[in-house]
Amino acid sequence: MVVHLKPETETRLQELAATTGRAPDDLVEDAMAGYLAEMGQVRKMLDNRYDEIKSGRVEPIDGEEAFDRLRRKRENRRHS
């Protein structure tokens, strides 16, 4: 597989490879493996949340209401 990187990214990759003594291909492989594992976890979490909402176990809240709750929590922490 060929991966095309922006020149700035390629430069950073080469610098990291030189600093760590690891091959650029190994660094890219590790980065992609980690990224894909994380995306798999996120996908599973989202699927689970969707299933919980569809089944009625969890009730969704309005986005503005959620942000208001977060703002109130932040304000309460500042004042405590």
Side-chain angles (χ1 to χ4, degrees):
M1 173 183 285
V2 176
V3 178
H4 298 281
L5 302 172
K6 293 180 182 179
E8 305 85 41
T9 305
E10 175 75 23
T11 298
R12 291 174 59 200
L13 178 61
Q14 294 299 334
E15 289 171 355
L16 183 59
T19 301
T20 62
R22 297 188 62 206
D25 288 351
D26 291 342
L27 294 173
V28 171
E29 176 66 31
D30 288 351
M32 287 304 302
Y35 174 78
L36 294 173
E38 185 176 334
M39 288 299 101
Q41 291 172 347
V42 168
R43 179 79 258 158
K44 183 177 180 182
M45 186 259 318
L46 291 173
D47 288 345
N48 289 340
R49 295 303 286 170
Y50 178 79
D51 291 343
E52 289 174 342
I53 290 170
K54 286 299 261 186
S55 71
R57 289 182 301 224
V58 173
E59 190 170 319
I61 61 171
D62 177 71
E64 284 303 316
E65 180 182 343
F67 283 119
D68 286 342
R69 288 181 185 182
L70 291 172
R71 285 184 201 107
R72 283 194 301 271
K73 283 183 180 181
R74 183 181 64 208
E75 289 302 318
N76 289 338
R77 284 188 204 139
R78 285 184 181 171
H79 297 300
S80 15

